Amino acid sequence: MKTILKKLITPIVQPIWFADLMFATIRIVCGIALSVSFGSDKFGVPWTAESQNLNLFEVSAWFPEDVAQYGGIFAIAPVFFAWMGAFSEAVGGIFLAIGLKTRVASFLIMCTMLVAIFCQKINGPLWNMLPAMSFLWVSIYNLFLGSGRFGLDYLISKNLK
C-alpha cells in the first residue's frame, strides 16, 4: 500500500528549479481560480451573491437542474453528479493549488472539465469553452507531473523515502 501511495504522490521534479516554479505558478493560480470562481458558485458559500440563503454543504438549486439536462446517466442521479462536480472544482481546486494529492485532484478536475466541455459547452461558441478547456489542459499536465518541488506532495514523498 505504501508503494502505491508513494508512486501516486511522488512528483516529477524538473532539472531546473525555475521550471518547477513556473509549473507551480500555473497550478496555484488555476487551482485558486477554479475553487473560488467556479466551484464556490455551485455551493452555498457566503461570498457568492446568489447563494447567501443556502447551507454551506448544500449544492445550489440551479446546478442539479443543469446537470439533469445532460441526459443519460446524469439524468438518473443529477444531485449526486452535481455534488461531485462542485466538489471536484471547489475542493480539487484547493488541493491543486497547495499541491496535495495533485494527481487525484487533477483526475477529478479532468473528468469534470470533460463533462463540462462535451455536455454543456459543446454547442456554444468556442469562447465559452475556453475556461473549461484551460482547466482541462492544466489538469492533464498535473496528472502526469504531479505537484513538482513546490507542493505538499513533494514534502510528503520526501518523508516516505
Side-chain angles (χ1 to χ4, degrees), residues 38-98:
F38 293 88
S40 66
D41 290 344
K42 294 168 182 76
F43 284 110
V45 294
W47 60 78
T48 58
E50 72 269 357
S51 60
Q52 291 190 6
N53 296 328
L54 298 175
N55 184 344
L56 180 61
F57 297 105
E58 180 180 319
V59 177
S60 294
W62 65 270
F63 194 49
E65 294 170 5
D66 193 31
V67 170
Q69 292 177 0
Y70 301 162
I73 193 170
F74 299 107
I76 296 170
V79 173
F80 171 75
F81 285 109
W83 210 96
M84 291 306 294
F87 177 83
S88 71
E89 289 181 6
V91 178
I94 292 169
F95 276 33
L96 190 67
I98 63 175

Side-chain angles (χ1 to χ4, degrees), residues 140-159:
I140 287 173
Y141 82 73
N142 279 296
L143 180 67
F144 291 104
L145 293 178
S147 68
R149 73 181 85 196
F150 297 110
L152 292 179
D153 283 347
Y154 179 73
L155 298 174
I156 293 169
S157 67
K158 279 178 51 175
N159 290 333

Side-chain angles (χ1 to χ4, degrees), residues 20-38:
D20 270 336
L21 181 64
M22 289 295 101
F23 286 136
T25 302
I26 295 167
R27 177 179 49 82
I28 292 166
V29 169
C30 285
I32 292 171
L34 182 63
S35 183
V36 172
S37 295
F38 293 88

Side-chain angles (χ1 to χ4, degrees), residues 70 112-123 129 132 136:
Y70 301 162
T112 303
M113 293 305 119
L114 285 170
V115 169
I117 291 168
F118 290 108
C119 293
Q120 185 183 32
K121 304 289 185 186
I122 194 72
N123 292 326
M129 272 194 258
L136 174 66

Side-chain angles (χ1 to χ4, degrees), residues 99-113:
L100 180 64
K101 307 281 189 205
T102 308
R103 289 189 172 104
V104 174
S106 294
F107 178 75
L108 294 174
I109 292 167
M110 181 184 73
C111 292
T112 303
M113 293 305 119

